[in-house]
């Protein structure tokens, strides 16, 4: 099988309401939809969800980098040769950065491979380690009363895991977490994510000590991404586990975190690692070091979310998951993918990862058409 063409659609996905965190305020979801065609008629789909504040990628940089560099290097190649394609991007193109562009195109290769073999993605990366993922809802910087109303509604629908965005003034963070705990009930699992917002170790420690009183499972990215010494200092001065997200962009950064003793957990996202192959390498480093992994996401549509969920299902070391559904209140209004299913079992909301070949996601073309955007200048 040979790759004959690569197409990228640039989209802005409408959101029900802005999602505000320490490092950004999103009112639409940037999305590069990638399609890879082959001479045998099989088409693979992938999604890049560029998050500028994480990796420097933008909606248009993804399109440009794919069109000018990544796609010409794959056309004519066998889509199964994913390791060799990565090696070409690194050693022949000397590609620096642009992980979301690489991830979007590489995701389409995995989808193609699964479709060609007739197997779901999780079977290509280790097979099932667990049967389903418990739904997680991420909550932005709303007023505490608003958070309480949202959480109360979702609790009634079976959501038992909430991720609260913090990294604001520590007292404000505490008010939000207290409101979520009150509305979610004592049995709910609550995690917090500062997205670098506390910046330095002393502020982070003061904030975490306030939040620990409300029963939190772990804290993500308490300090700025490039200060592993600060993360290590925080880790040594609080009881709760420390997860690093922005700091862990690929295998090299993962190794640096291990050497520093900076954290207990890695948050792995395909848009940071530059794709699935590197995510597997990050997980291998983590597992060898006794560090657990949570597959996160950047707020992708069902296409990109599905890739993360397949990995979360397959990797035994991925003991936590960040399984958001795209249509949750505050989420995407017109999801461009179809195939993820939510099911309530024993009063708990679960996400069923599709077992159709590849990502198991079908594109909703009318939602692609209505959200396509032209370059502004
Ligand atoms: Mg995070």
């Amino acid at each position: 099988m040979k790759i004959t063409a690569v197409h990228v659609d640039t989209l802005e996905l409408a959101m029900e309401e802005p999602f505000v965190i320490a490092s950004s305020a999103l009112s639409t979801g940037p999305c590069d939809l990638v399609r890879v065609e082959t001479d045998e008629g099989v088409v693979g789909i992938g999604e890049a969800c560029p998050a500028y504040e994480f990796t420097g990628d933008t909606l248009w940089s993804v399109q440009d980098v794919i069109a000018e560099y990544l796609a010409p290097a794959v056309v004519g190649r066998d889509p199964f040769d994913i390791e060799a394609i990565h090696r070409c991007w690194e050693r022949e193109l000397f590609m620096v950065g642009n992980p979301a562009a690489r991830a979007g195109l590489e995701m389409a290769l995995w989808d193609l491979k699964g479709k060609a073999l007739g197997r779901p993605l999780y079977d290509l990366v280790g097979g099932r380690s667990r049967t389903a993922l418990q739904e997680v809802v991420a909550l932005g910087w709303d007023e505490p009363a608003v958070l309480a109303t949202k959480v109360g509604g979702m609790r009634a629908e079976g959501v038992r895991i909430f991720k609260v965005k913090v990294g604001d003034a520590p007292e404000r963070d505490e008010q939000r977490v207290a409101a979520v705990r009150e509305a979610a009930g004592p049995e709910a699992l609550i995690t917090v994510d500062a997205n670098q917002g506390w910046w330095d170790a002393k502020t982070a420690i003061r904030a975490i000590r306030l939040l620990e009183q409300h029963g939190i499972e772990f804290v993500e990215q308490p300090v700025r991404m490039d200060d592993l010494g600060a993360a290590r200092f925080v880790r040594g001065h609080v009881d709760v586990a420390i997860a690093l997200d922005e700091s862990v962009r690929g295998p090299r950064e993962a190794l640096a975190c291990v050497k520093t003793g900076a954290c207990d957990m890695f948050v792995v996202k395909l848009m940071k690692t530059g794709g699935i192959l590197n995510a597997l390498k990050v997980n291998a480093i983590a597992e060898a070091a006794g560090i657990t992994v949570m597959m996160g996401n950047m707020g992708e549509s069902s296409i990109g979310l599905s890739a993360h969920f397949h990995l979360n299902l397959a990797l035994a070391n991925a003991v936590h998951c960040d399984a958001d559904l795209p249509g949750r209140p505050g989420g995407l209004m017109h999801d461009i993918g179809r195939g993820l299913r939510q099911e309530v079992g024993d009063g708990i909301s679960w996400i069923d990862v599709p077992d159709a070949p590849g990502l198991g996601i079908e594109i909703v073309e009318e939602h692609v058409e209505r959200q396509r955007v032209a370059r502004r200048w």
Side-chain angles (χ1 to χ4, degrees):
M1 192 189 294
K2 293 272 183 282
I3 296 170
T4 53
V6 177
H7 299 284
V8 180
D9 287 303
T10 48
L11 315 171
E12 280 180 345
L13 306 183
M15 292 168 64
E16 288 184 9
E17 57 183 72
F19 189 69
V20 181
I21 66 173
S23 54
S24 67
L26 275 185
S27 52
T28 57
C31 168
D32 295 274
L33 171 62
V34 183
R35 302 183 217 224
V36 175
E37 295 176 2
T38 60
D39 58 356
E40 294 184 17
V42 189
V43 177
I45 61 170
E47 175 182 9
C49 180
Y52 181 75
E53 75 282 9
F54 271 72
T55 66
D57 293 278
T58 70
L59 187 63
W60 302 107
S61 74
V62 168
Q63 190 190 46
D64 288 344
V65 166
I66 291 178
E68 290 183 36
Y69 300 99
L70 302 180
V74 302
V75 170
R77 297 188 76 130
D78 186 330
F80 278 41
D81 295 344
I82 295 174
E83 174 94 27
I85 287 169
H86 271 282
R87 183 52 68 111
C88 164
W89 290 343
E90 270 194 43
R91 299 283 177 93
E92 292 176 36
L93 300 183
F94 289 88
M95 175 68 58
V96 174
N98 299 290
R102 283 182 278 163
L105 178 45
E106 192 236 36
M107 192 186 296
L109 301 180
W110 286 94
D111 184 51
L112 244 170
K113 195 173 191 167
K115 285 170 174 164
L117 295 172
R119 306 299 304 184
L121 173 58
Y122 60 73
D123 271 347
L124 309 182
V125 291
R128 273 178 185 266
S129 286
R130 41 187 71 81
T131 51
L133 304 176
Q134 202 172 328
E135 187 187 353
V136 179
V137 169
L139 302 157
W141 281 13
D142 289 320
E143 288 300 315
V146 174
L147 289 173
T149 305
K150 285 182 179 176
V151 169
M154 288 185 279
R155 180 186 184 185
E157 292 179 49
V159 179
R160 295 288 178 271
I161 308 178
F162 296 95
K163 170 169 167 171
V164 187
K165 291 292 189 176
V166 291
D168 198 350
E171 290 71 20
R172 291 292 292 154
D173 290 332
E174 191 192 7
Q175 289 166 2
R176 292 190 179 104
V177 171
V180 171
R181 171 57 74 197
E182 172 79 23
E187 78 287 354
L189 198 149
I190 295 176
T191 76
V192 300
D193 185 358
N195 290 108
Q196 312 180 71
W198 296 319
W199 204 251
D200 62 86
K202 297 278 188 182
T203 308
I205 291 166
R206 186 165 76 81
I208 293 168
R209 285 183 180 152
L210 289 174
L211 303 186
E212 276 180 332
Q213 304 169 48
H214 302 280
I216 52 172
E217 203 70 13
F218 57 83
V219 178
E220 265 182 64
Q221 200 64 47
V223 293
R224 69 176 215 253
M225 67 166 83
D226 59 355
D227 196 347
L228 299 183
R232 178 173 180 236
F233 188 83
V234 173
R235 185 183 178 218
H237 288 80
V238 296
D239 293 329
V240 71
I242 300 298
L244 290 180
D245 179 355
E246 284 88 333
S247 299
V248 185
R249 295 182 295 283
R252 291 184 185 94
E253 291 87 357
L255 192 57
C257 289
V258 168
K259 286 179 175 170
T260 315
C263 64
D264 305 281
M265 189 194 306
F266 291 160
V267 182
V268 179
K269 298 175 178 171
L270 302 177
M271 298 304 124
K272 295 183 301 174
T273 60
I276 291 168
L277 199 64
N278 276 342
L280 297 173
K281 292 175 183 179
V282 169
N283 179 61
I285 291 168
E287 195 161 8
I291 290 173
T292 57
V293 153
M294 173 171 81
M295 290 304 302
N297 64 73
M298 297 287 196
E300 288 90 335
S301 76
S302 283
I303 298 170
L305 287 177
S306 182
H308 289 90
F309 296 171
H310 277 273
L311 282 170
N312 222 132
L313 207 64
L315 302 177
N317 192 44
V319 293
H320 292 279
C321 75
D322 213 351
D324 302 276
L325 275 175
R328 269 290 168 198
L332 303 180
M333 291 175 72
H334 313 291
D335 189 6
I336 57 166
R338 187 185 294 127
L340 294 177
R341 280 208 327 266
Q342 179 218 12
E343 273 177 16
V344 177
D346 296 330
I348 294 173
S349 176
W350 298 89
I351 294 175
D352 213 11
V353 180
D355 49 19
L359 297 170
I361 301 293
E362 193 187 325
I363 292 177
V364 184
E365 296 290 354
E366 61 176 292
H367 289 177
V368 172
E369 284 309 316
R370 72 192 296 173
Q371 297 178 103
R372 204 189 291 277
V373 287
R375 200 177 282 250
R376 280 182 276 273
W377 55 283

